[in-house]
């Protein structure tokens, strides 16, 4: 099934029902809800290692983006139409009021410049971050998507870039094992090297 077929499974009525249900949710602390490919997905926030990796990547991005007018944000609602993702990190302008979604519940995905996810344990978390969210971000045209995965073999860092929103894919993908560095090729973090400094245990 093509990426667009995943999107068209939901008719506008279902999209609106999911959107209204998502807005009405009152989750307990430590959980978050996203609308991905016709479902509301609820997942727990990360463990200690997840937090460590998020903050190491944030420090690298903050240093790289200094004086650029861009900032790194944690766990905000990134919205495309009636669909919502909450990346572990995203890059946008210093003042997020410059890129609001139409209802003021988050930011417009089409104006986000980079997203990053730290994969949690389990097959469903792997599929969500490597497959479903990859399609979501590509359809939104986010220029760069970084996935850090402790649970893929001995650990991998994958950088997706050059999105094709029509197909819901990224045309460039580079995946390396822990211990090998990868350089972000495009976007606001172009030239940033992700290596052992970030992924070390």
């Amino acid at each position: 099934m093509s990426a667009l077929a995943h999107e068209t499974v939901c008719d506008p009525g279902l999209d609106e029902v999911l959107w209204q249900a998502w807005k009405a949710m009152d989750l307990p602390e430590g959980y978050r809800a996203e609308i991905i490919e016709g479902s509301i997905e609820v997942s727990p926030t990360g463990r200690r290692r997840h937090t460590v990796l998020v903050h190491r990547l944030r420090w690298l991005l903050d240093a790289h983006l200094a004086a650029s007018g861009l900032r790194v944000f944690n766990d905000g609602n990134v919205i495309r139409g009636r669909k919502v993702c909450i990346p572990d990190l995203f890059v946008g302008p210093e003042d997020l009021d410059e890129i609001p979604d139409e209802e003021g519940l988050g930011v417009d995905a089409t104006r986000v410049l980079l997203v990053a996810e730290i994969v949690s344990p389990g097959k469903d978390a792997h599929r969500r971050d490597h497959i479903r969210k990859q399609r979501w971000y590509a359809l939104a045209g986010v220029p760069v998507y970084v996935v850090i995965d402790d649970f893929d073999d001995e650990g991998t860092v994958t950088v997706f870039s050059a999105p094709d929103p029509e197909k819901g894919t990224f045309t460039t993908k580079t995946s390396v094992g822990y211990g090998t560095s990868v350089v972000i090729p495009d976007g606001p973090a172009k030239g940033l090297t992700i290596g052992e400094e970030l992924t070390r245990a």
Side-chain angles (χ1 to χ4, degrees), residues 69-136:
L70 300 172
R71 290 290 176 264
V72 185
F73 299 91
N74 291 73
D75 296 324
N77 296 331
V78 175
I79 297 174
R80 178 175 58 85
R82 291 290 192 251
K83 298 167 179 64
V84 183
C85 270
I86 305 173
D88 291 317
L89 294 174
F90 71 90
V91 173
E94 289 181 352
D95 184 355
L96 291 180
D97 283 340
E98 294 177 17
I99 60 167
D101 73 292
E102 64 184 36
E103 292 193 38
L105 298 172
V107 297
D108 180 350
T110 65
R111 306 281 303 282
V112 169
L113 302 172
L114 178 149
V115 292
E117 300 285 1
I118 312 301
V119 182
S120 295
K123 289 181 180 178
D124 190 57
H126 183 276
R127 284 192 297 270
R128 180 172 56 246
D129 289 342
H130 284 276
I131 299 171
R132 295 193 299 274
K133 282 194 171 186
Q134 183 263 131
R135 276 194 293 260
W136 198 104

Side-chain angles (χ1 to χ4, degrees), residues 18-190:
L18 291 171
W19 179 250
Q20 295 302 328
W22 176 81
K23 289 197 303 182
M25 292 181 83
D26 185 16
L27 294 175
E29 188 174 342
Y31 288 86
R32 61 185 180 179
E34 302 169 287
I35 303 174
I36 304 171
E37 295 187 349
S39 299
I40 296 176
E41 297 192 18
V42 177
S43 57
T45 54
R47 301 175 180 186
R48 179 195 54 79
R49 172 69 174 169
H50 184 278
T51 303
V52 167
L53 291 172
V54 166
H55 285 283
R56 285 180 187 167
L57 181 56
R58 182 173 187 152
W59 296 330
L60 284 175
L61 286 166
D62 279 338
H64 191 83
L65 296 171
S68 69
L70 300 172
R71 290 290 176 264
V72 185
F73 299 91
N74 291 73
D75 296 324
N77 296 331
V78 175
I79 297 174
R80 178 175 58 85
R82 291 290 192 251
K83 298 167 179 64
V84 183
C85 270
I86 305 173
D88 291 317
L89 294 174
F90 71 90
V91 173
E94 289 181 352
D95 184 355
L96 291 180
D97 283 340
E98 294 177 17
I99 60 167
D101 73 292
E102 64 184 36
E103 292 193 38
L105 298 172
V107 297
D108 180 350
T110 65
R111 306 281 303 282
V112 169
L113 302 172
L114 178 149
V115 292
E117 300 285 1
I118 312 301
V119 182
S120 295
K123 289 181 180 178
D124 190 57
H126 183 276
R127 284 192 297 270
R128 180 172 56 246
D129 289 342
H130 284 276
I131 299 171
R132 295 193 299 274
K133 282 194 171 186
Q134 183 263 131
R135 276 194 293 260
W136 198 104
Y137 295 133
L139 286 162
V142 175
V144 178
Y145 176 34
V146 177
V147 181
I148 299 172
D149 190 345
D150 269 353
F151 308 99
D152 188 10
D153 294 325
E154 299 298 313
T156 59
V157 178
T158 304
V159 178
F160 297 94
S161 60
D164 182 339
E166 293 297 316
K167 294 181 179 177
T169 61
F170 287 89
T171 57
T172 303
K173 173 187 174 184
T174 304
S175 190
V176 299
Y178 282 9
T180 301
S181 296
V182 63
V183 178
I184 295 179
D186 297 310
K190 182 177 180 178

